[in-house]
Amino acid sequence: MLTLKQDCQPWNKLVNILLLQMSWDVVFCQLHYIIPEESKHGTFVGRIAQDLGLEIGEINSRMLRVVSRDEKEYFQVNLQNGILFVKETIDREQLCPNAAFCIMPLQVILDKPVQMYRVDVEMEDINDNSPSFSSTVSHLMISEIIPAGSHFPIEGAVDPDLGTHSIINYELSASDYFALDFQKYMSQIRSLELVLKKSLDREKQSIHNLTLTSYDGGKPRLSGTTQIIVTVEDSNDNAPSFAQPFYQCSITENAAKGSLVIKLNATDLDVGKNAEILYEFSKLVKEDVRNIFSLDKHTGEIRVKGDIDFETINMYEIQIDAIDNGDHPMVGHCKVLITVNDVNDNPPELTLTSLSVPVPEDSPKGTTVAIISVHDKDSGSNGKVSCYISEHTPFKINQAFTGDFSLTVNGQLDHEKKSGYEVLVIAKDEGTPPLSVSQTLTIDVSDVNDNAPKFQQPIDTIFIKENNPPGSHVYTALASDPDIGQNSFITYSVSEATIDGIPISSYISVSPDNGKVFALKSFDHEQVKYFQCHIKAIDAGLPPQSSDLTLNIFIEDINDNAPTFAPFYSDVTFKTPKSAQPGYLVGKVKAMDLDSGYNALISYNLKDPLGKTPFTMSYQTGEINLKRPFMDSDYEEYRLLVVAEDSGKPVMTVSTHIVISWVEPGEEMKLDNYEAKNSSDEFSNANFYLVIAICIISSIFLITLIAFTVLKWQKYRDEVNDLKENYKVCSNTGGSWMYSQHTQYRVSSSSTEAKNDLIVFTPNNLQIPVNHDLPTPQGAFLSSAYKPKHPNPDWRYSASLKAAMQGAVHMEGAAVLRGAAVGLEPQWPTVSSATTDPEGGEVSPPVGAGVNCNSWTFKYGPGNQKQPVPVPQIPPDFPENFIIPGSPAIISIRQDQPSAQAQKSNFITFGKKEETKKKKKKKKGKNQEKANNNTNDNNDQ
């Protein structure tokens, strides 16, 4: 007796692959509907337009249609409301036999523009089939010696339904000897066996009638029954047995006929003819399997007999019986699972589902041109198909869904460059060797209005002479368009604009057909000198394209305006003094011309046929000048004709009369009306702004000058205060400068402030009483007979003054020390005396209240730089108390080039240094005598 066991591992792998494939198809769809099978015509499937986000109006305009792979059209779309409904009744078992999921893929295609959607309709199984057995009665022969627990495979029922609607249970009628055993694999009953509960006894009961009932899982559930007649035999007690109850092997599809698939081997414990074993296909093996495989009944070899196609059946399950040759043959059972390996024997199938041509040249990237469906019957890598374009074109293949590709625009299309393409589409699988299929698509590119009319230049300039005849042709605007057909038909127009409030269409018009520009009116340069118009060129495409031409129009001036005099120039009277000299400006006339350029260039002419008038006129300015002095023979009044003419061609003139009268000197005056009119006309806005600018600049200069003066004055005050502290100078009433014992004078050696000012002071002409002794500096006394003299006009030639003029002498700090010891006295303004030498200095007497007229000041003039100024050389034995008798006192000497001794000490001390009081008292007498002698000498000189 043999016990059969079933291995479930191969079944698990197979079911997993099938479920994975079905799940993959579901993922790559956009809509998924589920309807029960056997649905009648008109059954609602789904609102496909609404679910795809389409408007109701787009269904007809974009030509929505549904395409399926099968020739039959099971579904249809209502074009009024976008509802998908059943067109023909679908039998799931007929459409998808032996499939866990029955999904019908649909392609929803929209045109203009082309779009494709993937819709899957799943046929939901209903319990419309009852389980059925192949026969109503089956016979089973069982030997009585078979031990309890033996299993006898029996044929199960068949239910075309799947899932819960398929067979889920078997029931056996009540029996003391038999029980039913079945095994499930992935919720499906794969094997059905009759189990012997206890040993049979033919003498007690030789025949057992059993009823086998199968049930499906539907609601309500359906069932099927069959009768099993078991006959108990009393013979061979050992049945053949295989090495294993389940065999697994594989074979490639398209294997050659006669190829060995597997060799089976069964053994029997009996001997003799009861051990002779014959191999046969089980009665459960179908006829189509017997046509493909053959079984050698003696050797147990299974060979290929027919054509094996993986795409038809990829797995075979064959039950083999091993029967001994006993009087009562016993049978051993096994199962053989033959897996068919796929080979790349099917090329891809390429189907052009949709082609939208011609393609507009302005189609953006991504525009769908065609939809291509590719299918390969092979599986695995042999069934994976890639689609591509063989040559470089502005198109691209994109994968939309599994097996569906779209041909889209991938570059710039230009009808003007290329109007059509031949695109070779190739579909190629990944098998070894790879198989491919190709198809050529003809794609035409349609022209769109993508080129605007183009002028030769965007800006142009023309010149029109004024007073042109109305309607004259002045310009031709020409544009070109590379498009074709109506897209290249160009119309010209003038853009709306205004010139001083007047529409430009009143000035210029353009012919819409040929672009000729006409002047509608006669232009006047004095009114319009320049204007700009924009000419638009627009084609007849949809939408239209346009471009603009900016036309700068200049109105050329011609000499059409004569010069004019202002009204106040008519019979104007100019008065000229009789004492006037030649060149005297008598008056001026002015004419205006509305023209421009040379046409407005005016020349003036004084009409004097006899040439006896003493007046002449400037040709360009119109100024009237005196030609000769007044003569007694001249008239008291002249009435002259002034002619103004322009420079245009032809020359245009204007004339006016003027009156020139002679008056006595001092009586001349300009006419009030002439002056008022002249000033009112000539004082324009530009002159007004010019006066304002001059005032502002003058104010800034004045403020700067005041600030500079304040700073210099502050510096001057500081220097004077310094000088007052350091130097004390006393002057006697006689005006002679004395040197105090306590005073030191500095000779500046700085080269940074070189000055050429020579300041010479003469004693004031004071009335000094004879009987009074005046205090004098140490070593000097004034004589009672001393009387200051008025300076000689030829003072510049005195010896003492010449000696004083040889150095650059000035008072440091620009201060003049004079008079008593009170301090500083400012220098008063002077009136320069005339001199014949313009390069020399000037002699100025002091002017002002309280100033003696005998005080003179000499200064070098601005042009005196030409006179050489020698540097005075001080001899080594120069006396300390040196005073030039009868000459002005020199307060300070500054040299441009200091001596070496001055650079070291920076000052030279003149006069007696301060002595002690005791020495002064002792030498008082001697000094008094020396001073008297010096005073007498000075008076004599």
Side-chain angles (χ1 to χ4, degrees):
M1 302 296 291
L2 297 176
T3 301
L4 298 178
K5 294 184 180 179
Q6 185 177 9
D7 189 358
C8 297
Q9 184 176 2
W11 288 98
N12 289 335
K13 293 183 180 179
L14 178 62
V15 173
N16 288 336
I17 293 173
L18 293 175
L19 291 177
L20 181 60
Q21 181 67 30
M22 288 184 289
S23 300
W24 187 263
D25 291 337
V26 173
V27 170
F28 282 93
C29 70
Q30 290 181 310
L31 292 178
H32 188 85
Y33 296 114
I34 301 176
I35 63 170
E37 64 172 329
E38 304 293 340
S39 297
K40 303 299 181 182
H41 174 78
T43 302
F44 174 83
V45 178
R47 299 183 183 275
I48 190 169
Q50 180 179 355
D51 295 339
L52 293 176
L54 302 174
E55 299 293 338
I56 298 300
E58 293 180 315
I59 298 175
N60 288 322
S61 62
R62 298 185 64 183
M63 302 175 62
L64 185 144
R65 65 182 186 273
V66 177
V67 180
S68 61
R69 292 180 181 173
D70 298 333
E71 296 181 357
K72 293 184 178 180
E73 294 183 1
Y74 293 100
F75 300 95
Q76 190 174 358
V77 177
N78 189 335
L79 299 180
Q80 301 298 325
N81 52 22
I83 294 177
L84 182 67
F85 62 92
V86 177
K87 184 178 180 183
E88 291 185 13
T89 303
I90 302 173
D91 187 0
R92 181 186 182 281
E93 286 73 25
Q94 182 181 359
L95 184 64
C96 305
N98 302 322
F101 295 91
C102 184
I103 296 176
M104 178 175 290
L106 301 178
Q107 293 178 351
V108 180
I109 299 174
L110 296 171
D111 294 331
K112 300 180 181 179
V114 178
Q115 285 183 309
M116 184 192 71
Y117 301 92
R118 172 74 175 270
V119 179
D120 289 346
V121 181
E122 181 181 352
M123 305 302 160
E124 187 178 21
D125 184 43
I126 63 175
N127 194 19
D128 58 340
N129 293 286
S130 301
S132 62
F133 293 89
S134 59
S135 61
T136 57
V137 178
S138 60
H139 297 273
L140 184 62
M141 305 287 293
I142 300 176
S143 176
E144 63 176 355
I145 61 174
I146 292 178
S150 298
H151 291 69
F152 303 96
I154 58 177
E155 183 181 3
V158 177
D159 193 343
D161 297 328
L162 297 176
T164 57
H165 297 156
S166 62
I167 299 173
I168 63 172
N169 192 17
Y170 286 92
E171 291 183 1
L172 187 65
S173 59
S175 174
D176 296 332
Y177 292 94
F178 297 96
L180 190 63
D181 183 22
F182 54 87
Q183 294 180 357
K184 289 186 177 182
Y185 181 73
M186 293 187 68
S187 301
Q188 292 185 359
I189 298 175
R190 293 294 182 181
S191 62
L192 185 64
E193 295 177 336
L194 198 62
V195 181
L196 185 61
K197 296 166 50 177
K198 61 181 180 177
S199 299
L200 296 175
D201 188 355
R202 183 178 178 278
E203 287 72 24
K204 290 183 178 181
Q205 187 176 354
S206 59
I207 297 176
H208 298 270
N209 292 322
L210 304 175
T211 301
L212 179 62
T213 305
S214 63
Y215 296 95
D216 59 20
K219 292 184 180 180
R221 66 179 184 174
L222 301 178
S223 62
T225 60
T226 184
Q227 295 293 324
I228 300 176
I229 299 175
V230 179
T231 301
V232 180
E233 293 182 351
D234 184 17
S235 61
N236 191 15
D237 57 350
N238 288 298
S241 63
F242 291 92
Q244 57 187 46
F246 187 81
Y247 292 91
Q248 186 176 4
C249 62
S250 63
I251 189 172
T252 59
E253 67 172 328
N254 299 330
K257 293 180 180 181
S259 300
L260 178 64
V261 179
I262 192 173
K263 182 178 180 181
L264 303 176
N265 184 25
T267 60
D268 195 326
L269 298 178
D270 295 329
V271 294
K273 64 176 184 178
N274 292 330
E276 295 177 0
I277 299 174
L278 298 176
Y279 300 95
E280 295 179 357
F281 286 114
S282 174
K283 297 178 180 180
L284 304 178
V285 177
K286 297 180 180 181
E287 188 67 22
D288 55 352
V289 178
R290 295 174 185 267
N291 295 330
I292 295 175
F293 299 100
S294 64
L295 176 62
D296 191 330
K297 62 181 181 179
H298 298 291
T299 62
E301 292 179 351
I302 300 177
R303 294 182 178 273
V304 177
K305 180 181 178 183
D307 296 329
I308 299 177
D309 188 3
F310 175 84
E311 287 70 37
T312 303
I313 299 177
N314 55 14
M315 185 176 62
Y316 295 92
E317 184 178 351
I318 304 175
Q319 292 180 346
I320 305 298
D321 293 339
I323 304 172
D324 60 18
N325 197 20
D327 293 335
H328 300 283
M330 300 190 70
V331 180
H333 310 280
C334 76
K335 288 184 179 181
V336 178
L337 184 63
I338 302 175
T339 303
V340 180
N341 295 329
D342 182 41
V343 296
N344 193 24
D345 59 342
N346 293 286
E349 298 176 0
L350 191 148
T351 304
L352 182 63
T353 305
S354 177
L355 179 62
S356 179
V357 291
V359 181
E361 63 175 331
D362 62 345
S363 299
K365 286 187 178 182
T367 302
T368 302
V369 178
I371 297 176
I372 302 168
S373 297
V374 180
H375 179 67
D376 197 321
K377 294 180 181 180
D378 296 325
S379 63
S381 60
N382 297 328
K384 292 182 180 180
V385 182
S386 60
C387 195
Y388 60 93
I389 300 175
S390 61
E391 60 184 17
H392 179 70
T393 59
F395 300 97
K396 180 182 179 182
I397 291 289
N398 299 311
Q399 184 172 3
F401 305 102
T402 302
D404 294 322
F405 297 87
S406 61
L407 180 66
T408 60
V409 177
N410 192 41
Q412 183 67 37
L413 300 178
D414 193 349
H415 175 81
E416 288 72 33
K417 294 181 178 178
K418 192 171 184 180
S419 60
Y421 295 88
E422 296 289 334
V423 180
L424 180 63
V425 180
I426 300 174
K428 186 177 182 180
D429 60 23
E430 298 180 4
T432 305
L435 300 177
S436 63
V437 65
S438 62
Q439 185 174 351
T440 301
L441 304 181
T442 301
I443 300 175
D444 296 328
V445 179
S446 61
D447 181 50
V448 297
N449 192 23
D450 59 340
N451 292 286
K454 186 177 181 182
F455 290 96
Q456 293 180 354
Q457 52 188 3
I459 300 175
D460 203 355
T461 302
I462 63 173
F463 297 88
I464 304 175
K465 291 184 179 295
E466 63 174 333
N467 300 331
N468 59 295
S472 58
H473 173 247
V474 296
Y475 183 76
T476 300
L478 184 60
S480 59
D481 195 325
D483 294 325
I484 61 174
Q486 68 175 10
N487 295 333
S488 62
F489 183 76
I490 301 174
T491 304
Y492 301 91
S493 63
V494 178
S495 300
E496 291 296 331
T498 58
I499 302 174
D500 297 333
I502 301 175
I504 198 172
S505 57
S506 301
Y507 292 86
I508 292 295
S509 70
V510 61
S511 176
D513 298 330
N514 52 27
K516 291 186 177 180
V517 180
F518 300 93
L520 298 181
K521 60 176 295 185
S522 179
F523 294 106
D524 188 358
H525 175 80
E526 286 70 39
Q527 294 180 358
V528 178
K529 295 180 177 60
Y530 160 80
F531 66 93
Q532 188 180 78
C533 72
H534 299 277
I535 299 176
K536 177 177 287 187
I538 183 170
D539 57 25
L542 292 175
Q545 298 276 353
S546 64
S547 62
D548 291 336
L549 168 65
T550 300
L551 193 61
N552 297 314
I553 302 176
F554 291 88
I555 309 301
E556 291 184 344
D557 182 47
I558 63 174
N559 194 23
D560 58 343
N561 292 283
T564 58
F565 285 102
F568 57 82
Y569 283 116
S570 178
D571 293 333
V572 65
T573 301
F574 297 104
K575 294 183 179 181
T576 306
K578 295 181 179 180
S579 60
Q581 297 298 319
Y584 175 80
L585 178 62
V586 177
K588 181 180 179 181
V589 295
K590 186 176 182 181
M592 303 294 293
D593 195 326
L594 297 179
D595 294 326
S596 62
Y598 285 100
N599 296 329
L601 186 62
I602 300 175
S603 59
Y604 301 90
N605 208 352
L606 189 62
K607 294 298 182 180
D608 185 11
L610 301 178
K612 295 182 179 181
T613 58
F615 307 103
T616 183
M617 174 171 279
S618 175
Y619 180 79
Q620 295 179 347
T621 63
E623 294 179 350
I624 303 173
N625 299 97
L626 189 61
K627 184 168 59 174
R628 58 177 175 79
F630 174 76
M631 301 174 61
D632 295 336
S633 61
D634 291 336
Y635 297 102
E636 293 293 330
E637 184 177 278
Y638 288 90
R639 186 175 183 84
L640 304 176
L641 179 65
V642 178
V643 178
E645 63 179 17
D646 56 23
S647 301
K649 292 183 179 180
V651 177
M652 304 189 76
T653 62
V654 66
S655 61
T656 185
H657 288 88
I658 62 171
V659 178
I660 303 176
S661 60
W662 294 97
V663 296
E664 295 298 329
E667 295 181 3
E668 68 273 11
M669 60 179 297
K670 295 182 180 179
L671 292 177
D672 294 339
N673 58 348
Y674 172 79
E675 185 68 23
K677 293 179 182 179
N678 218 5
S679 61
S680 62
D681 288 347
E682 292 183 356
F683 193 78
S684 61
N685 291 333
N687 294 333
F688 177 73
Y689 295 140
L690 182 61
V691 170
I692 292 177
I694 292 174
C695 292
I696 293 175
I697 295 173
S698 301
S699 301
I700 295 174
F701 174 75
L702 185 59
I703 293 172
T704 306
L705 185 61
I706 292 173
F708 178 76
T709 305
V710 170
L711 294 176
K712 296 298 287 183
W713 176 252
Q714 184 67 29
K715 182 178 179 182
Y716 161 75
R717 288 187 57 189
D718 294 342
E719 291 178 353
V720 169
N721 292 334
D722 237 3
L723 199 61
K724 286 172 64 177
E725 293 295 330
N726 296 331
Y727 304 99
K728 296 179 180 179
V729 180
C730 297
S731 176
N732 61 356
T733 56
S736 300
W737 288 98
M738 301 301 172
Y739 296 98
S740 172
Q741 295 179 356
H742 303 282
T743 305
Q744 294 179 347
Y745 297 91
R746 292 183 298 173
V747 178
S748 173
S749 64
S750 174
S751 63
T752 59
E753 297 182 2
K755 298 182 179 179
N756 291 330
D757 293 342
L758 175 63
I759 303 175
V760 181
F761 295 92
T762 59
N764 293 331
N765 190 11
L766 299 178
Q767 298 296 330
I768 303 175
V770 177
N771 298 328
H772 294 84
D773 294 332
L774 298 177
T776 59
Q778 186 177 0
F781 290 93
L782 292 176
S783 173
S784 59
Y786 172 76
K787 291 182 180 180
K789 298 180 180 181
H790 194 278
N792 193 342
D794 197 12
W795 58 272
R796 290 179 294 173
Y797 300 101
S798 63
S800 60
L801 186 56
K802 288 181 179 180
M805 291 170 57
Q806 293 179 357
V809 183
H810 68 90
M811 173 63 67
E812 182 168 357
V816 179
L817 303 178
R818 53 179 309 196
V822 177
L824 301 175
E825 181 178 345
Q827 187 174 355
W828 296 96
T830 61
V831 178
S832 301
S833 61
T835 176
T836 59
D837 187 4
E839 300 296 330
E842 63 181 13
V843 180
S844 302
V847 178
V851 180
N852 194 291
C853 62
N854 289 331
S855 178
W856 293 80
T857 302
F858 177 83
K859 294 183 180 179
Y860 280 112
N864 203 33
Q865 300 293 336
K866 299 180 180 179
Q867 297 181 1
V869 183
V871 179
Q873 301 294 331
I874 301 175
D877 56 345
F878 191 81
E880 295 181 351
N881 299 329
F882 178 77
I883 297 176
I884 301 176
S887 65
I890 299 176
I891 302 305
S892 176
I893 299 175
R894 175 172 292 180
Q895 302 176 356
D896 290 346
Q897 299 295 333
S899 62
Q901 183 179 358
Q903 291 179 357
K904 292 180 180 179
S905 60
N906 291 330
F907 67 90
I908 301 176
T909 304
F910 292 90
K912 185 71 174 177
K913 293 184 179 180
E914 184 180 0
E915 297 179 354
T916 59
K917 294 181 179 180
K918 293 181 180 181
K919 292 182 179 181
K920 287 182 179 181
K921 291 180 180 180
K922 292 181 180 180
K923 296 182 179 181
K924 185 176 182 181
K926 297 179 180 181
N927 294 334
Q928 195 73 17
E929 294 176 358
K930 292 180 179 180
N932 293 333
N933 296 330
N934 291 334
T935 302
N936 295 329
D937 294 336
N938 292 333
N939 293 333
D940 295 338
Q941 294 177 1

